[in-house]
Amino acid sequence: MCGHCGCEGGGATVVAADGTHTHVMPDGSVVTHAHDHAQAHDHEHGHEHSHEHSHEHERSHEHRGEVIQLAARVMEKNDRLAERNRAFFLGRELTVVNLMSSPGAGKTALLVRTLKELGSDVAVLEGDQETSRDAERIRETGAPVVQINTGTGCHLEADMVWRGLEQLDPAAGATLFIENVGNLVCPALFDLGEDARVVLFSVTEGEDKPLKYPHMFRRADLVLMTKVDLLPHLDFELDRALAAVSHIAPDAAVLQVSAKTGVGLDAWYAWLNADRRRSRTE
Amino acid sequence: MHELSLMRSIVGTCVERAEGRRVKSVRLRVGALSGVEVHALRFCFDVCTEGTVLAGAALTIDEVPGRAECRACGERVALERFVAVCPCEKRARLTVLSGDELLIDSMEV
């Protein structure tokens, strides 16, 4: 990877419904291709750079090092971009929810059912390493959706969300669902500008999940325990799971849901409604 | 892993502030509760600094221990990993005093 501009032929890809790909290189340059996204293709983004590294000269001299105090937050850039997103959301009166979980906890299944039942005033940004499969499932519900493929990235960041928003152009007043990459570790650190963080874990994942992944759960506004229809087949101890959540995220709301049977979904929709009102009054 | 993204950010900031000067060393402060794996961060340093003014620089990471104060009993406890609730009888909330840091402390040019 070129350390000066970060270019490595990778970066996040935003895929629009018409198959147009927009690649955002880590150096900020934007490349757009219009073609059938069902075709497999190589993206060769070779960049020629010449770097003048004439440091031999410096090293041969004795010079005292100057210590520069930085006290710079590592997350500063992402947080600044998250605030930019936040300002955009405010201007469009969007309520924004960041959905996070392990892969397979049921984010997309819950989202699909939610979108069908809410019907209107919704929009989705879908994050995955590869494929547009989840975006396709969501598109079938009629909700506007843009897929963000991170390639090798394991989490969404604020700049990727911004680029997705440019394509999605969500309608004013909508509830925007950002489905993060399935990962219970990395997304936790990256503010996307959301109003609320919803962390899912399924009853097949075990009661200790919140204790094992404190960095994620401590930041949850709502914890959704999913796939509760499977409880009769499991030795899952609900009290232990609830205790684990309250040990790490005592202020988080907790709901138990099944996207399959519909159990608990009314409470989820009520929470979303309340979240809408909360985000408007703040 | 997110440490790669974090290290890119760190290198970007240092390159900017170095203004073309060669960087001899970088000092980071990483808290025990920050959710960042120090070993992974170190691992990414060489890859991310290659071809930049930070190439070959020494990396020092000050690991800040987790400490929190109980809101009920005022007791200060060491935290190796994050918990929100004090082990004391009242099970009151803990306020984190240190351990959440994720900073570029300084660099030497």
Side-chain angles (χ1 to χ4, degrees):
Chain A
M1 174 179 81
C2 167
H4 266 293
C5 67
C7 156
E8 59 180 1
T13 309
V14 174
V15 183
D18 64 358
T20 311
H21 284 67
T22 300
H23 297 276
V24 182
M25 312 308 289
D27 70 357
S29 61
V30 177
V31 180
T32 302
H33 305 274
H35 51 159
D36 179 0
H37 77 269
Q39 287 171 5
H41 49 257
D42 263 327
H43 288 285
E44 294 291 332
H45 294 299
H47 291 249
E48 294 299 317
H49 295 278
S50 66
H51 298 288
E52 306 285 331
H53 287 306
S54 49
H55 296 288
E56 262 44 70
H57 165 77
E58 280 183 338
R59 285 193 191 284
S60 68
H61 293 280
E62 283 270 342
H63 77 281
R64 294 176 63 140
E66 177 197 340
V67 175
I68 305 172
Q69 298 296 337
L70 291 168
R73 290 182 55 250
V74 172
M75 301 310 301
E76 194 273 329
K77 185 180 176 194
N78 183 80
D79 288 354
R80 192 166 21 93
L81 296 174
E83 285 308 313
R84 176 177 64 164
N85 293 349
R86 207 160 255 122
F88 174 87
F89 297 146
L90 197 65
R92 286 259 173 124
E93 295 190 313
L94 300 171
T95 306
V96 185
V97 173
N98 183 359
L99 294 168
M100 294 174 281
S101 75
S102 288
K107 292 187 295 300
T108 309
L110 180 69
L111 197 46
V112 164
R113 177 134 188 185
T114 301
L115 295 168
K116 282 181 184 163
E117 294 184 351
L118 291 183
S120 61
D121 297 324
V122 288
V124 182
L125 283 174
E126 178 59 48
D128 291 288
Q129 279 196 314
E130 296 291 351
T131 84
S132 300
R133 283 169 195 251
D134 283 354
E136 285 312 312
R137 285 170 68 186
I138 288 161
R139 197 162 287 127
E140 282 163 15
T141 69
V145 55
V146 161
Q147 175 82 54
I148 303 171
N149 284 137
T150 63
T152 53
C154 49
H155 58 272
L156 290 178
E157 298 190 12
D159 61 340
M160 298 172 189
V161 166
W162 179 259
R163 249 69 80 156
L165 288 171
E166 285 175 337
Q167 292 255 15
L168 184 63
D169 194 23
T175 299
L176 172 64
F177 296 93
I178 303 176
E179 190 185 332
N180 217 312
V181 178
N183 178 344
L184 219 38
V185 176
C186 311
L189 269 66
F190 296 87
D191 185 4
L192 304 178
E194 71 272 25
D195 295 303
R197 297 176 151 219
V198 178
V199 181
L200 286 71
F201 78 104
S202 64
V203 295
T204 53
E205 291 172 68
E207 301 89 344
D208 296 342
K209 212 75 179 181
L211 302 175
K212 291 187 201 168
Y213 296 90
H215 307 291
M216 176 62 75
F217 283 88
R218 76 184 271 198
R219 292 170 165 89
D221 295 297
L222 169 66
V223 174
L224 286 177
M225 289 172 51
T226 61
K227 308 190 187 181
V228 296
D229 55 291
L230 294 175
L231 283 173
H233 307 286
L234 303 166
D235 289 332
F236 188 84
E237 290 177 42
L238 193 58
D239 287 345
R240 266 183 64 196
L242 294 173
V245 174
S246 68
H247 205 61
I248 301 296
D251 294 330
V254 185
L255 296 175
Q256 297 150 50
V257 295
S258 166
K260 187 168 184 196
T261 63
V263 155
L265 294 187
D266 285 341
W268 160 233
Y269 301 146
W271 185 90
L272 282 171
N273 248 325
D275 193 47
R276 252 177 118 82
R277 287 195 298 277
R278 263 193 302 274
S279 73
R280 298 293 150 76
T281 54
E282 273 157 25
Chain B
M1 63 189 157
H2 57 290
E3 283 80 4
L4 181 60
S5 176
L6 298 180
M7 185 47 80
R8 279 197 199 129
S9 207
I10 291 165
V11 170
T13 300
C14 290
V15 165
E16 235 176 75
R17 295 292 296 265
E19 293 173 328
R21 293 170 289 180
R22 194 118 197 112
V23 177
K24 291 178 169 181
S25 66
V26 176
R27 178 177 290 268
L28 307 177
R29 284 171 66 80
V30 177
L33 309 175
S34 66
V36 177
E37 167 57 52
V38 168
H39 187 74
L41 208 51
R42 277 198 176 279
F43 184 82
C44 295
F45 187 69
D46 289 342
V47 166
C48 293
T49 55
E50 199 179 302
T52 73
V53 293
L54 271 79
L59 175 66
T60 305
I61 303 181
D62 294 334
E63 297 182 50
V64 184
R67 280 176 60 75
E69 185 176 89
C70 175
R71 292 183 203 177
C73 63
E75 178 142 341
R76 296 193 167 187
V77 293
L79 292 182
E80 276 180 18
R81 61 193 71 82
F82 177 82
V83 287
V85 175
C86 187
C88 76
E89 284 161 3
K90 292 191 181 133
R91 315 276 297 149
R93 299 298 168 74
L94 288 170
T95 304
V96 172
L97 300 173
S98 72
D100 273 343
E101 298 84 351
L102 189 51
L103 298 168
I104 309 169
D105 180 82
S106 58
M107 65 180 186
E108 191 186 355
V109 296

